[in-house]
Amino acid sequence: MNKSRIPYMYSSFLLIFLVHDAQVGVGLPGFQRIVYRDAGHDAWLAVLAAGLVNQLIVWIMIRTLRKFGDKDLYDIHVMVYGKTIGYAMNLIYIGYFLFAMVIELRNYVEMIQVWLFPAAPQWVLSLLIGCAVFYGVRGGLRTIVGTSLVFICLTLWLNLLLYFPLRYSEWTRLLPLMEADAGQFAKGMLSNFFTMTGFEILYFIYTYAKDKTKVQLYAQLGIFSVTIVYTTVMIVSIVFFSGGELLKTNWATFTMLKVIKFPFLERFEFIGVSLWLMVILPNLLFFCWAASRGVKRIFAWQQKYWLYPIIGVVTVTCSFIDTRLQIEALNDFFAKGCVYLIYVYPFILYVAAWLYGRKHKTTLLAGETQS
């Protein structure tokens, strides 16, 4: 164990919350329309199946990490592929995290503009959130972990709001079951993969977990909790909306909150959109931390100094994305990239790590002992 990392380590139990928070982001408010378009009444089954695939991917990821002890993905790439190819793969992951920040931030800014402040300039909103990200990442990994834990505790009660749309549900809308053919079902799963990404951050925070023998258990519990949330939201959306309504609703989750009425608050969905900042902020913190950590490894410059160009590039990029069509095009492009980088590449890396292990048995055995 690298003693310099001890002050930054966290309890492995927290991975339940970290993985959950990393997967729940801007996709949850509007994923229903995309999945329902592809899988129809079986959309909730496609979501459930996608969650089970995520369990497998996480299992492969952690099996790979255990072979290298306290190394993260940036180290593993250089060890397995060599310096040139390893740095190239690291740059791809850095680019992925920057792209993920742009997607996450721009989608949330659009929610704010549509639901709360239509006249607010997007660059102002992006910059304000970017400053919060900068401040959080400067605090280090333990600050990010603490923020994630606090925010998930403060927003967990939002799940109870699904009771209100259930009062107006028609359960016959779930029928007929197994209507989608294999191709439609697979498309529904692929559509949902974009929404449930985020667990890839395990490649980088695994090394700071205290008890690595329990990482697999707690990470799997976190993935399972997210699967339950997404499946439940999908079921409630199907029984609340008609098929035609669901296909025309961009943010079905927030739209369902319109049925909630209180004498002192008529538009409860405003509260939901505002509180959603607590949901997406930990994602941005993790992505920014992982990206800045990567460029520090490659260019040997202190991580805190890389935050300035990273936040600047993300904020400026968001300001050039103006229309809904541009946002959807970027979402589609990002979703296709996720399939290869998050759902295919872990198997390739596992094989590469196995071959590396056959060649360097002594090194890997030492890593297994440490973990």
Side-chain angles (χ1 to χ4, degrees):
M1 175 65 66
N2 190 336
K3 292 184 179 180
S4 64
R5 296 183 178 180
I6 292 178
Y8 304 101
M9 299 187 77
Y10 59 89
S11 172
S12 300
F13 174 75
L14 296 178
L15 280 169
I16 298 176
F17 303 97
L18 302 183
V19 172
H20 183 102
D21 217 358
Q23 282 192 272
V24 179
V26 291
L28 184 60
F31 77 105
Q32 300 96 317
R33 177 178 64 88
I34 306 299
V35 182
Y36 189 86
R37 180 193 63 194
D38 295 327
H41 298 98
D42 296 326
W44 69 276
L45 291 173
V47 173
L48 184 60
L52 296 177
V53 171
N54 288 343
Q55 305 270 174
L56 174 62
I57 299 299
V58 168
W59 182 81
I60 288 290
M61 289 170 57
I62 294 175
R63 290 287 297 178
T64 303
L65 289 165
R66 286 183 62 186
K67 294 178 179 295
F68 295 90
D70 61 350
K71 305 296 183 182
D72 63 13
L73 186 63
Y74 294 133
D75 295 321
I76 294 171
H77 278 160
V78 176
M79 292 173 65
V80 172
Y81 301 128
K83 198 168 184 179
T84 302
I85 299 178
Y87 279 173
M89 291 302 303
N90 289 346
L91 285 173
I92 290 175
Y93 264 88
I94 292 168
Y96 163 78
F97 286 126
L98 293 176
F99 199 174
M101 287 182 67
V102 171
I103 293 291
E104 198 88 7
L105 182 58
R106 186 61 188 92
N107 276 275
Y108 182 66
V109 166
E110 185 191 27
M111 291 180 198
I112 296 176
Q113 291 177 313
V114 170
W115 291 89
L116 299 177
F117 306 111
Q122 58 181 326
W123 71 268
V124 173
L125 297 173
S126 299
L127 183 60
L128 289 174
I129 298 174
C131 290
V133 174
F134 176 88
Y135 179 77
V137 177
R138 277 294 300 268
L141 181 61
R142 296 192 68 175
T143 299
I144 299 173
V145 171
T147 300
S148 180
L149 179 61
V150 171
F151 281 1
I152 196 173
C153 292
L154 291 176
T155 56
L156 204 57
W157 64 273
L158 290 173
N159 294 304
L160 301 177
L161 300 178
L162 294 175
Y163 163 76
F164 293 94
L166 276 177
R167 296 164 59 190
Y168 304 94
S169 62
E170 293 186 23
W171 291 94
T172 55
R173 289 172 177 164
L174 289 173
L175 303 174
L177 290 176
M178 306 305 293
E179 180 186 31
D181 58 33
Q184 292 171 327
F185 193 82
K187 286 185 66 177
M189 289 179 60
L190 288 172
S191 299
N192 199 62
F193 283 155
F194 161 66
T195 308
M196 299 177 76
T197 58
F199 56 84
E200 63 277 6
I201 198 68
L202 279 169
Y203 272 135
F204 306 94
I205 65 175
Y206 168 87
T207 182
Y208 295 98
K210 289 182 179 178
D211 188 357
K212 292 183 172 55
T213 60
K214 296 182 179 179
V215 166
Q216 186 75 262
L217 171 63
Y218 293 136
Q220 295 290 352
L221 288 174
I223 294 289
F224 180 73
S225 68
V226 173
T227 302
I228 295 300
V229 169
Y230 274 93
T231 304
T232 303
V233 172
M234 190 75 241
I235 291 174
V236 174
S237 301
I238 292 174
V239 300
F240 179 79
F241 295 100
S242 67
E245 289 174 334
L246 194 55
L247 290 173
K248 296 177 182 178
T249 306
N250 287 329
W251 295 288
T253 304
F254 290 146
T255 303
M256 288 191 293
L257 299 184
K258 286 185 175 182
V259 303
I260 304 175
K261 303 291 183 182
F262 293 105
F264 56 89
L265 182 64
E266 185 176 354
R267 301 295 299 274
F268 193 85
E269 66 272 20
F270 289 174
I271 303 296
V273 175
S274 302
L275 289 178
W276 212 253
L277 177 61
M278 293 187 183
V279 177
I280 67 112
L281 191 57
N283 294 7
L284 293 171
L285 292 174
F286 277 123
F287 293 151
C288 186
W289 175 82
S292 59
R293 182 176 173 82
V295 290
K296 172 192 172 183
R297 295 285 187 83
I298 296 175
F299 301 105
W301 200 26
Q302 288 191 43
Q303 186 173 357
K304 60 182 180 180
Y305 296 132
W306 282 107
L307 295 177
Y308 295 97
I310 287 175
I311 298 298
V313 167
V314 170
T315 303
V316 171
T317 302
C318 287
S319 67
F320 284 103
I321 306 171
D322 296 319
T323 66
R324 178 65 190 172
L325 290 176
Q326 291 176 331
I327 294 174
E328 288 190 350
L330 283 174
N331 288 343
D332 290 340
F333 180 79
F334 184 76
K336 293 176 182 177
C338 287
V339 172
Y340 298 104
L341 196 61
I342 300 173
Y343 291 94
V344 176
Y345 180 67
F347 293 97
I348 298 174
L349 181 62
Y350 182 80
V351 173
W354 180 79
L355 294 174
Y356 178 85
R358 299 270 296 186
K359 193 175 181 180
H360 304 81
K361 287 184 180 180
T362 304
T363 303
L364 291 188
L365 284 173
E368 290 275 10
T369 302
Q370 289 180 11
S371 64

